[in-house]
Amino acid sequence: MEPDAALKIIARGTEEIITPADLKSKLASGRKLRVKLGVDPTRPDLHLGHAVVLRKMRQFQELGHKVILLIGDFTGMIGDPSGRSKTRPPLTLEETRANAQSYVEQARKILRQEPDVFELRYNSEWLEKLSFKDVIRIAAQMTVAQMLEREDFKKRYSGGVPIGIHEFLYPLAQGYDSVALEADVEMGGTDQKFNLLVGRDLQKYFGQEPQVLVLMPLLVGLDGVEKMSKSLDNYVGVSEEPAVMFKKLMRVPDAVLADFRLLTDLEPAEVEELVAAGGMVGAHRVLARLLTAAYALEVIPAWLNREFYESLGYRLAEAGRDRQPQAPQNPELAGLVAQAEARYDEVAKGGIPDDVPTVTIDPAELKDGKIWVARLFTLAGLTKSNGEARRLIKNRGLRIDGEVVSSADLEVELDRPLVLQRGKDRFVRVVLGG
Amino acid sequence: MEPDAALKIIARGTEEIITPADLKSKLASGRKLRVKLGVDPTRPDLHLGHAVVLRKMRQFQELGHKVILLIGDFTGMIGDPSGRSKTRPPLTLEETRANAQSYVEQARKILRQEPDVFELRYNSEWLEKLSFKDVIRIAAQMTVAQMLEREDFKKRYSGGVPIGIHEFLYPLAQGYDSVALEADVEMGGTDQKFNLLVGRDLQKYFGQEPQVLVLMPLLVGLDGVEKMSKSLDNYVGVSEEPAVMFKKLMRVPDAVLADFRLLTDLEPAEVEELVAAGGMVGAHRVLARLLTAAYALEVIPAWLNREFYESLGYRLAEAGRDRQPQAPQNPELAGLVAQAEARYDEVAKGGIPDDVPTVTIDPAELKDGKIWVARLFTLAGLTKSNGEARRLIKNRGLRIDGEVVSSADLEVELDRPLVLQRGKDRFVRVVLGG
C-alpha cells in the first residue's frame, strides 16, 4: 500500500499524531513497524473505551505491522512504597501474569495474535536489570520543571497533595520501555501524551529514531460526561451479551453519539447522511446493530464499515428504519442482532421480553402462602436490600407482572410464577421451589 | 567520661545539634559511635575551612569514637549525565582513589588514622549494587515538595534554572550512605543540614536509630565575606609554610576574627579578655601564633587551648605583646613561630625579609648588560606577562631593592643581585647566571 493511503487509514479517528511526517516516513520505509501499547498490570475488564485504541492497533496489523502489548508489571510488583496509597498493594508475579493473560484473552476479540503481528512483553524483563547508575543517566534527561508540567503533577503540586519522588521515575521507566522495545510507534489515549513524549526523548538520548505517537480520543461513557470506565459503571464491555450491548448502545446520550463513530469505520459523511435520514434514533439503531454484530463474533472484523453493516441484511441508506434483515450473508449473526433489537423494542414499549431469567424461591420463605414484597425482590436479586426495595417502591420503580407495586407493605401470594421488574429493563421470573 | 561532659566538649563551637538529647543518649550508651563525614571525590586542597569539621571529628576520636571518611565516588564516577554542566566530567576509578588518598594524607594532620578510630569507605561499595527497585523504594520516602524546600533547589526552581531529575536522587543516595554505614552521627557544615536530615529519615525507614547531626558553622574566608574556598583564593591551607600562614592569619578581617576562634579551643571568655587586653592586633597575633604552631606540627594537638599556647613560651594574658617566647616547651616549634612573626613584622614595616627565593637570569636575556624591567619581573615569576608588569608599574606596585619602579621603559643593569618586590610581600632575588 502507498504510504499516503496507509497514513490516511491510521490517521482516521485519531486525536493527534506526533508527527504525521515521521509516521509517513516510517510507513514508507517498508519495514514492519513495532507498535507499542502499554497495559496496566491490574485485572482489566475490557470495554469499548479500550477498543478505540485496540482497533487502531488492529489496523496496524492489517497493514502488516507488529503490535506489542507491554505489561507494566515492574511497577505493579512494587506497589506504592511510600505507604500513602493503601489501595495499591504490590502484585505478585503470578497475579501480574494472570492479569496479563486475562487482558490478552479479552483482546483476542480485537487483536490478531499470530506471532508475526503480535508480541506480549513484560517490562520487568529490562527494568529489573537497571542499576542505580542507569537510573541516574535516564533521570538526567528530564528536569523537575518539565515533570511538573504534567497535568496531574501540576495540580497535585499546586494543591499541596504530596508527590513521591518515585512517581517522577515512573514516566521515565515507561519511556525507557520504548527504548528497550525499539518501538516505532506508541499508541495511547490523549491523557497519555506526556508519558509517551518522554519515550521519544529517551529514544533520542539512546541514539534511536524517536517513536511516533498515535493518540486516540478518550471515549465518553454512557453518562455522557465521564471517560468510560468500569468503576463509574458507565461502560459497555467488549463481551457483553448481545441484548445487553444493544440496549446499552441505544442509551448513549445523543450529544456523544458522534464519538461512538470512533468504534466504526463509517466515514463522517456516511454518518451525516444517516442522521439526516433517520434522526438520532436511527443513528443509534445502526450503531447498535453494527457493534452488537461485531462484538458477538469471536474476532471482530478489521473494518466496521458500510460493507460490514450491509452484510447483516440492512441498508445504511434506510438509517435503521428497516427492522428486518433481508438476505444477510451470515444469517446466524443477523439473527442474534435482530433478536437483541426485538427484545429492546419489546421492553421499550413496556412489554416483558421472552428471555427472562428464573429464580426459585424456597417455600420456607412463605408464611400463609405469602411473602413480603421487599423481601421477594431482594431474594430475586433485583434489589440489594429490603431498604432499597422500599425506596424503589416509593418511587414507583418496581413492578410485578407489569403492574407498579404501590405499597411497600404488600404481602405477595406466590401461587403462580410472577415476573418481577426493576425500572425499564431488569426482569426476573420467580417460581416457588419443590 | 560522663555523657554530660562529653556532650559539652562536642557541643562547643557547633552551630546546631539534631538533637542534643539523642546525642547524649548515644554518648551514654557506652558504645563506640560511628561518626560519618561525607567527602567530595574531587581533589581537595584542605584549608582551615575543612579543619573546623575535621577537628570536631578528632575530638570524637579523643573521646574513643570512630570516624568514617566516606568518599562519594559513586556520583563522581557518573559526572553530570544531563550534559548541562561541562565542568563536571566523570572521574575514573583511579582518579577517585588518588583524590581520596590525597584527602587522607592532608587530613593526617588533624585526624588520627589508627584503624580503631578511623575508617575510609567509598559509597560505590553499596550504591553500585542498588537496583531500580531499591531506588524506587528509597525515592518513595520523600516528596517533591520536601525536596524543593532545599534552599538551592528552591532558588533554581523559582528562578527557572533547570534541575535534572537525577539531582533529586543525590540527597537520597547520600542519605542511604548513612544506612549502609549504620552511622550514629553525621558531621557537616550548616549548608549540609538538608542532606543530612534525609539520612535520618532513611535510617528510620530501614529500621535504624536515626543519626545525630552535628552541624558546624561555615568559616568565612580572608575576604571577610565568602565562605573560605580555594577557588575564591580567600583561604589558609592546612599545609602552608609557617610564614605564609602567619601572614594570612594576620590579615583576617577584624569583623570575622571571632569566627576563627572555632579553630581553637580557647573559651569565649578567654578570647574576650584577650581582645580587651591587646585589642584586635593582639588577638590576631595570639591566633596566628597558636595556629601557625599547631599546623607546623605533623599532627596538630587535640586541644588548641591556653595550655597549648603557653607551651610555646607566650602568656595569654599578655595578649600578644610579649614578642619573644620565654622558655618554651618545644624550642624548635617556638622558634619557627617566632621566625614567621619576625618576618611578618619586617615586611609590615617595609623591610625586605631574609628568606627571599632566588631566581637566576640567563645572561643571553641581556643586551649591553641590561634587561627591560617588565621582562625582568616576568622572568622572575612575579608577573604573568610583560603587560601585567606594565600595569603594575603604572599603579606603583613593583619595586627594586625597595624603590618603586617609576617607568615601564626602564632598562635595568644586572651587575649585582637585586631584590624584586611585588606589592607588600612578594619578593624574589635575581642574580645573573653562569
Side-chain angles (χ1 to χ4, degrees), chain A residues 29-84:
Chain A
S29 74
R31 282 191 301 117
K32 182 181 283 203
L33 300 181
R34 298 171 61 75
V35 182
K36 169 194 172 196
L37 176 67
V39 173
D40 200 281
T42 52
R43 184 173 293 276
D45 279 297
L46 261 58
H47 52 62
L48 296 184
H50 299 102
V52 174
V53 170
L54 291 173
R55 281 187 69 252
K56 187 57 69 184
M57 303 277 279
R58 167 73 172 280
Q59 293 174 358
F60 272 108
Q61 290 182 316
E62 297 294 325
L63 297 174
H65 304 293
K66 184 175 231 176
V67 308
I68 307 168
L69 286 189
L70 174 65
I71 311 296
D73 67 335
F74 177 75
T75 50
M77 289 195 285
I78 296 176
D80 182 6
S82 72
R84 273 176 213 103

Side-chain angles (χ1 to χ4, degrees), chain B residues 113-146:
Chain B
Q113 302 191 357
E114 304 93 302
D116 61 322
V117 290
F118 181 81
E119 215 173 287
L120 176 68
R121 300 290 284 276
Y122 296 90
N123 66 4
S124 58
E125 185 185 333
W126 46 86
L127 294 181
E128 267 183 359
K129 287 188 202 124
L130 287 186
S131 69
F132 191 14
K133 195 181 264 190
D134 299 324
V135 174
I136 288 174
R137 288 200 176 120
I138 292 169
Q141 303 315 311
M142 275 193 78
T143 69
V144 173
Q146 286 169 335

Side-chain angles (χ1 to χ4, degrees), chain B residues 61-94:
Chain B
Q61 290 182 318
E62 297 294 324
L63 297 173
H65 303 294
K66 185 175 231 176
V67 309
I68 307 168
L69 285 189
L70 174 66
I71 311 295
D73 66 335
F74 178 74
T75 48
M77 289 193 287
I78 297 175
D80 182 7
S82 71
R84 275 179 211 100
S85 152
K86 299 284 178 217
T87 57
R88 273 186 59 193
L91 301 172
T92 64
L93 182 69
E94 290 68 38

Side-chain angles (χ1 to χ4, degrees), chain B residues 236 240-250 292 340 343:
Chain B
V236 184
E240 304 272 17
E241 287 298 312
V244 174
M245 182 171 279
F246 195 99
K247 177 183 76 185
K248 285 189 170 182
L249 290 169
M250 290 301 289
T292 300
R343 186 186 194 283

